[in-house]
């Protein structure tokens, strides 16, 4: 009998900040795999509201209930990080149709870079299909109510960040 090989998945993103949409995906992915690594990285095209250490701490604060989930940062190619962690799957969330084109290209490129890692798309619950970290920040900055889209402690951190910048 062969030795059981742990199935490790990586859920990469900038998580600036983590939202209930991300948490929905984390919940689904953590039940499908033995171990889920949330890979936090900087998006070079966007200026972030929270630095990478703040983002990691915020995620850690909301995933404490999931024993098989841990949070790590990475730089450079996602596929290199996946190999380093012996992950077999990259998890991405699919929301609206507009996500598809970019995600499809990334998945094909990552497959080209490594045949050993597949990309798996998960869809969130319907109440989160239209939200992104960017949209949430935009609404919060303008004073809109985002309380149904982020956990309470994340909401407090967003509010504090916005008032510090004023
Ligand atoms: P990135 O810059 O890599 O897109 P994000 O933090 O914006 O980083 O998103 C990370 C992943 O989470 C992506 O796969 C994205 O599609 C997914 N995601 C973001 N928001 C949601 C949501 N509301 N529902 C489901 N998946 C989401």
């Amino acid at each position: 009998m062969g030795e059981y090989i742990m199935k490790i998945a990586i859920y990469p993103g900038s998580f600036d900040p983590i939202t209930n949409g991300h948490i929905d995906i984390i919940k689904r992915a953590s039940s499908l795999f033995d171990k889920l690594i949330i890979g936090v990285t900087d998006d070079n095209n966007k200026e972030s509201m929270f630095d990478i250490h703040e983002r990691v701490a915020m995620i850690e604060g909301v995933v404490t209930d999931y024993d098989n989930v841990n949070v790590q940062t990475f730089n450079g190619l996602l596929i290199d990080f996946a190999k380093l962690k012996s992950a077999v799957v990259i998890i991405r969330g699919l929301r609206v149709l507009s996500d598809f084109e970019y995600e499809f290209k990334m998945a094909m490129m990552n497959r080209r870079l490594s045949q050993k890692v597949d990309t798996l798309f998960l869809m969130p619950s319907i109440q989160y299909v239209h939200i992104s970290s960017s949209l949430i920040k935009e609404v919060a900055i303008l004073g809109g109510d985002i309380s149904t889209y982020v956990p309470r402690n994340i909401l407090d951190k967003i509010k504090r960040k916005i008032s510090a910048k004023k």
Side-chain angles (χ1 to χ4, degrees), residues 11-16 19-22 25 43 46 91-95 99 102-103 122-124 128-133:
Y11 179 34
S14 34
F15 304 98
D16 184 41
T19 68
N20 288 342
H22 293 127
I25 299 298
D43 184 335
K46 292 183 220 156
I91 301 285
R92 295 290 286 175
L94 257 197
R95 291 161 290 185
D99 278 343
Y102 174 76
E103 294 295 341
L122 294 174
M123 282 164 278
Y128 304 131
V129 290
H130 60 293
I131 62 160
S132 61
S133 299

Side-chain angles (χ1 to χ4, degrees), residues 135-149:
L135 184 58
I136 274 171
K137 285 183 281 188
E138 209 174 307
V139 173
I141 289 167
L142 298 173
D145 178 13
I146 54 156
S147 59
T148 55
Y149 299 129

Side-chain angles (χ1 to χ4, degrees), residues 7-160:
K7 289 262 189 292
I8 303 172
I10 290 188
Y11 179 34
S14 34
F15 304 98
D16 184 41
I18 188 164
T19 68
N20 288 342
H22 293 127
I23 296 167
D24 184 292
I25 299 298
I26 291 167
K27 195 169 158 186
R28 292 171 199 281
S30 76
S31 74
L32 291 170
F33 293 91
D34 297 311
K35 187 172 157 189
L36 179 68
I37 299 170
I38 304 177
V40 187
T41 191
D42 281 315
D43 184 335
N44 298 325
N45 302 315
K46 292 183 220 156
E47 205 193 314
S48 64
M49 175 178 263
F50 297 94
D51 70 37
I52 199 154
H53 306 291
E54 291 175 307
R55 282 179 271 143
V56 167
M58 288 158 92
I59 302 168
E60 280 173 343
V62 299
V63 301
T64 48
D65 291 345
Y66 305 101
D67 293 339
N68 64 340
V69 176
N70 72 65
V71 191
Q72 296 176 27
T73 61
F74 74 97
N75 289 307
L77 273 183
L78 170 60
I79 212 78
D80 290 338
F81 181 59
K83 281 186 199 159
L84 185 73
K85 298 294 163 188
S86 310
V88 290
V89 162
I90 292 167
I91 301 285
R92 295 290 286 175
L94 257 197
R95 291 161 290 185
V96 281
L97 193 60
S98 54
D99 278 343
F100 182 80
E101 195 176 351
Y102 174 76
E103 294 295 341
F104 181 78
K105 286 191 269 190
M106 286 301 289
M108 288 300 145
M109 181 54 81
N110 282 328
R111 175 173 286 165
R112 163 82 182 69
L113 295 171
S114 172
Q115 301 282 326
K116 292 187 182 146
V117 184
D118 253 308
T119 305
L120 181 70
F121 295 100
L122 294 174
M123 282 164 278
S125 305
I126 194 88
Q127 67 264 40
Y128 304 131
V129 290
H130 60 293
I131 62 160
S132 61
S133 299
S134 327
L135 184 58
I136 274 171
K137 285 183 281 188
E138 209 174 307
V139 173
I141 289 167
L142 298 173
D145 178 13
I146 54 156
S147 59
T148 55
Y149 299 129
V150 289
R152 186 55 214 256
N153 59 331
I154 304 295
L155 180 66
D156 293 343
K157 292 208 170 70
I158 297 171
K159 284 185 177 163
R160 246 179 282 147

